Amino acid sequence: MENQHLSMSVDASIHAPVSRVWKAATDKDEIKQYFFGTDVTTTWEPGSPITFSGEYEGKRYEEKGVILQVEKEKMLSYSYLASGWEDKPDNYNTIVYELEDEGNGYTNLKVTQSNIRDQQTADHCVDNWKMVLEGLKKVAEA
């Protein structure tokens, strides 16, 4: 039976202008503050590589992908291969950040992750993204 690949979305209303939320989402020093201490390396240019590296539970990891699309202060997307997964196209997830000005100084940031293999992984992704967005919100609102 073919796996139905799943997708999940999480969003947050952040009390900061779109430009500030964009910076929190794309500045490597800010990302490190809320993204589990991860070092992100990329130019944010479509077609360029993106790597995520750091230490988790005492183990070094490096995960990777490619920047797919960037519309400054509106949307960005990249492919993503989790560590431990075989490097083949079907194992890459797609991550999309969408920013929308809600007015009154608020920005909505929605993160969607697609091509997820199973429900357990999707649930885990939801939990992780909720933590990430909580942290990003704190950084952007500070």
Side-chain angles (χ1 to χ4, degrees):
M1 193 176 116
E2 269 301 291
N3 273 345
Q4 276 301 78
H5 290 290
L6 304 171
S7 72
M8 50 68 46
S9 294
V10 175
D11 69 332
S13 183
I14 300 168
H15 192 208
V18 169
S19 59
R20 179 68 193 97
V21 175
W22 180 261
K23 184 177 188 298
T26 58
D27 181 281
K28 69 177 283 160
D29 296 328
E30 295 198 14
I31 293 167
K32 192 175 173 90
Q33 291 177 47
Y34 63 80
F35 211 111
F36 313 115
T38 298
D39 286 305
V40 174
T41 308
T42 186
T43 61
W44 299 112
E45 294 293 319
S48 68
I50 183 168
T51 60
F52 306 86
S53 58
E55 207 171 278
Y56 180 70
E57 294 179 346
K59 285 197 186 104
R60 293 280 314 151
Y61 66 86
E62 185 166 299
E63 301 173 333
K64 66 178 185 169
V66 174
I67 303 297
L68 301 173
Q69 222 179 332
V70 179
E71 286 179 64
K72 188 172 163 63
E73 298 182 1
K74 288 189 178 358
M75 185 274 275
L76 71 88
S77 68
Y78 56 88
S79 64
Y80 166 75
L81 181 70
S83 57
W85 292 80
E86 185 187 342
D87 190 347
K88 61 179 193 179
D90 203 40
N91 283 340
Y92 281 80
N93 289 180
T94 300
I95 313 283
V96 180
Y97 286 55
E98 295 170 285
L99 291 80
E100 191 179 343
D101 187 344
E102 295 183 305
N104 299 323
Y106 282 85
T107 300
N108 187 70
L109 172 58
K110 178 179 174 186
V111 177
T112 304
Q113 184 166 343
S114 57
N115 200 37
I116 301 169
R117 189 170 279 188
D118 57 45
Q119 190 60 52
Q120 185 182 352
T121 305
D123 293 343
H124 180 70
C125 292
V126 167
D127 292 343
N128 277 350
W129 281 114
K130 282 181 178 169
M131 282 191 285
V132 166
L133 288 185
E134 269 306 303
L136 187 152
K137 182 176 162 81
K138 285 189 181 104
V139 167
E141 290 179 350

